[in-house]
Amino acid sequence: MHQYSHSSSAASSSPTANLAPAALPRQKVVVLQGDGIGPEVVAATVRVLDAAAAPIDWEVSEAGASLFARGVETGVPQDALDAIESCGVALKGPLETPIGFGNKSANVTLRKLFELYANVRPVRTLPGIKTPFSDRAIDFVVVRENVEDLYAGIEYMQTPNVAQCLKLMSRKGCRKIMRFAMELARAEGRKTLHTATKANIMKMTEGLMKQAMEDLLPAYPDIAGDHLLIDNCAHQMVIAPEQFEVIVTSNMNGDIISDLGAGLVGGLGVAPSANIGAHAAMFEAVHGSAPQIAGKGVANPTALLLSAVMMLRHLGLFDHANRIESAVFVTLAGGQDLTGDLAPKGQGVSTNAYVDRIISNLGNALPGVAPRTYSNITLAAEGDRDLHPAVRELVGLDVYVDYIGDVYELGQRLTAHCADSDWQLKLISSRGTVVYPETNPNTDLVDHWRCRFVARHPAIALDDEAVQKLLSTLHDQVSWMHLEKLYRFDGKDAFSKAQGEG
Ligand code: NAI
């Protein structure tokens, strides 16, 4: 790793270099240059922050494709990981995951390694950027849970023809992201928060997110919280985006609607983001490594620069953040010296010329556009909020079976098989829909069946011994590949019913 010099000509020639409050302690930030246009947009961003005399010592490291090629499995060198661990802040260029070297994404590795559970993506109408929504006062932030949900990456081919991906969401994870979003709303002076879920269909997983909002709202009487379905949220974001201030979602939903948000205000080239955890934070542009324009000196650094503005606020450097943000807005509104992706055709300038223009605008602000008032986010420890039910009853067993044949034959056979046991076959379902004992002729059948067994009489108390007895004979009958015990916690079913189950 090397360090950027702070006596660069850009910094010393900056009109605002002498305005830095002398008393501010210098803070270390790890910079991962990344792939493609990464080194170019990183260098541009560092130039602007240095010119604004942000009191930061940069520790620059390679990351991404070159590291994978050298056999570094995470794509990030260990000394950079150690440095992030010790200073807690990283600014990151886009990283490629080259096909053929390892199979991990360096981006996902970093998120998981540092438990960066909150992905924050501001969506705001930018001056001078023409979009179909330019005349709308859009200013909201998407807070997306970043480590759980379908992105836990737990997948199985359960049969040769049916794939499963586990959607794992925890009460703790939902509460953490919800508390973060509420604190962020407060820190940014926002008054409303929308939780967008698919809790009407996924009552347990997505339901936990809705529940987290309902549980935590009483502690935030200054915030009006509301719930809406994620599909309606996407619709509302297009027809009335001004209504939103903070939108909280689970991982996959947030992935999609934050890109939709970026599209509303000018696209990925100007979309910043932050990944925040309890011990570390990483700031990055939303866009990728744009290999087509890498090395040409024409990349637009705005997205990374606005990510760095978020980083400055995270570091408590609010004045520096506001000054740089204002200079970017003045530059964009002025419409001169913009990179090719923003300028009228044929009038784009180099990354360096754009950065020169931003630096020359440090200290300027658009008339009538005051920066939002930000303050530090303080997160109370979540503590042990896990539920500990007093009564856990085992009430059934779902046995997932790999079988090609007549479902009626399978149902009859399994019914007869357990006739003398504590169990009875209640139903068989295909991808969630009951197909035995009743069959809907329209349901397509595949080689993947869920056989739901329950107690033969309500008086029978099921336990692990009963489960083992059933399984010890069942393997003669079917090829099962997965089991799920059905519990009732404090009298409440802890499993969903199949479509069509009584
Ligand atoms: P991309 O964002 O790199 O490019 C999409 C389009 O936007 C291209 O036309 C590109 O030239 C343009 N573009 C992107 N950023 C720009 C900028 N700053 N200035 C001017 N034009 C810009 O997306 P793509 O092509 O899907 O991905 C390329 C690589 O980046 C892939 O290897 C992907 O895995 C990686 N990637 C990394 C991300 C990260 O590190 N967070 C995020 C997204 C993709």
Side-chain angles (χ1 to χ4, degrees):
M1 282 197 290
H2 63 277
Q3 303 208 335
Y4 276 120
S5 156
H6 285 278
S7 55
S8 71
S9 58
S12 57
S13 65
S14 157
T16 55
N18 296 329
L19 298 180
L24 285 176
R26 299 191 71 77
Q27 307 191 51
K28 191 166 92 174
V29 168
V30 176
V31 182
L32 303 173
Q33 299 197 84
D35 300 310
I37 59 170
E40 297 162 60
V41 291
V42 161
T45 299
V46 167
R47 248 187 86 202
V48 176
L49 266 68
D50 284 352
I56 290 175
D57 291 326
W58 306 102
E59 206 160 315
V60 183
S61 173
E62 282 179 84
S66 56
L67 274 291
F68 282 120
R70 274 186 256 147
V72 178
E73 266 212 8
T74 56
V76 183
Q78 188 58 43
D79 59 349
L81 296 177
D82 293 343
I84 297 172
E85 181 84 47
S86 101
C87 78
V89 184
L91 182 68
K92 186 180 89 55
L95 301 177
E96 282 170 18
T97 307
I99 296 153
F101 301 105
N103 54 9
K104 287 183 183 151
S105 148
N107 290 316
V108 175
T109 300
L110 284 163
R111 277 179 210 160
K112 298 255 182 190
L113 214 53
F114 295 105
E115 189 77 23
L116 303 174
Y117 66 89
N119 182 255
V120 183
R121 303 246 310 241
V123 176
R124 181 168 45 172
T125 305
L126 291 172
I129 306 273
K130 292 275 169 291
T131 76
F133 295 87
S134 307
D135 58 338
R136 315 288 282 268
I138 301 174
D139 182 6
F140 62 86
V141 53
V142 178
V143 178
R144 158 190 169 198
E145 201 289 323
N146 215 18
V147 291
E148 297 196 334
D149 192 11
L150 294 161
Y151 290 55
I154 306 171
E155 289 197 295
Y156 304 94
M157 288 303 301
Q158 289 198 318
T159 72
N161 301 296
V162 176
Q164 182 197 49
C165 177
L166 284 188
K167 180 175 170 79
L168 282 183
M169 290 174 63
S170 70
R171 190 180 306 281
K172 186 177 185 180
C174 292
R175 289 180 66 99
K176 274 171 74 177
I177 195 68
M178 193 59 65
R179 188 177 291 285
F180 178 90
M182 288 179 181
E183 291 292 338
L184 178 121
R186 263 192 186 161
E188 298 194 356
R190 299 181 188 263
K191 299 288 172 222
T192 64
L193 175 147
H194 288 85
T195 301
T197 76
K198 198 69 185 170
N200 56 333
I201 305 292
M202 287 163 272
K203 295 182 166 56
M204 294 184 192
T205 49
E206 290 283 307
L208 278 179
M209 188 64 83
K210 180 168 180 279
Q211 182 73 48
M213 180 188 77
E214 288 158 4
D215 287 351
L216 292 176
L217 263 182
Y220 295 84
D222 46 325
I223 297 171
D226 208 351
H227 173 260
L228 78 171
L229 296 176
I230 188 69
D231 37 350
N232 183 30
C233 180
H235 172 237
Q236 295 288 330
M237 279 172 69
V238 175
I239 61 166
E242 309 87 346
Q243 70 183 295
F244 293 115
E245 290 195 278
V246 178
I247 302 175
V248 194
T249 69
S250 57
N251 205 342
M252 171 92 167
N253 290 334
D255 196 4
I256 297 165
I257 65 152
S258 52
D259 267 31
L260 168 55
L264 294 177
V265 295
L268 299 182
V270 291
S273 81
N275 300 283
I276 312 270
H279 309 293
M282 192 172 72
F283 299 83
E284 62 180 329
V286 168
H287 63 70
S289 60
Q292 314 86 337
I293 56 167
K296 295 185 176 161
V298 297
N300 180 1
T302 307
L304 189 66
L305 190 50
L306 292 177
S307 308
V309 165
M310 295 175 78
M311 179 187 81
L312 291 172
R313 292 190 173 120
H314 176 80
L315 293 170
L317 298 167
F318 298 107
D319 289 344
H320 293 86
N322 291 345
R323 203 165 346 136
I324 294 169
E325 189 177 71
S326 294
V328 173
F329 288 176
V330 170
T331 306
L332 293 175
Q336 272 184 308
D337 293 336
L338 303 182
T339 47
D341 55 318
L342 298 181
K345 207 168 168 45
Q347 292 176 35
V349 302
S350 68
T351 309
N352 271 335
Y354 174 62
V355 167
D356 288 343
R357 173 65 69 175
I358 292 174
I359 290 173
S360 75
N361 278 325
L362 284 169
N364 296 337
L366 289 178
V369 181
R372 179 177 282 287
T373 305
Y374 293 88
S375 57
N376 281 320
I377 296 180
T378 39
L379 286 173
E382 202 37 54
D384 179 16
R385 302 289 179 137
D386 291 341
L387 295 186
H388 302 281
V391 183
R392 292 169 187 250
E393 286 167 88
L394 181 66
V395 294
L397 186 71
D398 278 351
V399 181
Y400 288 78
V401 168
D402 179 348
Y403 167 76
I404 296 176
D406 176 10
V407 65
Y408 190 74
E409 183 280 321
L410 177 67
Q412 290 287 296
R413 185 152 48 86
L414 294 181
T415 299
H417 177 74
C418 54
D420 298 328
S421 75
D422 287 346
W423 299 92
Q424 63 173 328
L425 178 70
K426 184 177 183 197
L427 60 89
I428 300 176
S429 70
S430 169
R431 290 161 301 134
T433 301
V434 174
V435 289
Y436 177 88
E438 302 297 325
T439 304
N440 176 346
N442 295 326
T443 306
D444 249 341
L445 301 177
V446 292
D447 57 358
H448 180 278
W449 313 88
R450 173 176 56 170
C451 305
R452 176 160 284 185
F453 294 91
V454 296
R456 178 161 298 283
H457 305 292
I460 295 173
L462 297 173
D463 56 13
D464 279 1
E465 211 180 314
V467 169
Q468 276 167 13
K469 259 195 200 162
L470 176 65
L471 292 178
S472 67
T473 57
L474 210 56
H475 70 87
D476 289 343
Q477 300 292 321
V478 289
S479 162
W480 61 268
M481 81 323 250
H482 179 77
L483 297 175
E484 201 73 50
K485 287 165 151 183
L486 307 183
Y487 279 103
R488 203 171 280 153
F489 296 144
D490 285 339
K492 205 170 160 203
D493 285 355
F495 52 91
S496 61
K497 289 201 159 165
Q499 188 70 40
E501 179 176 358

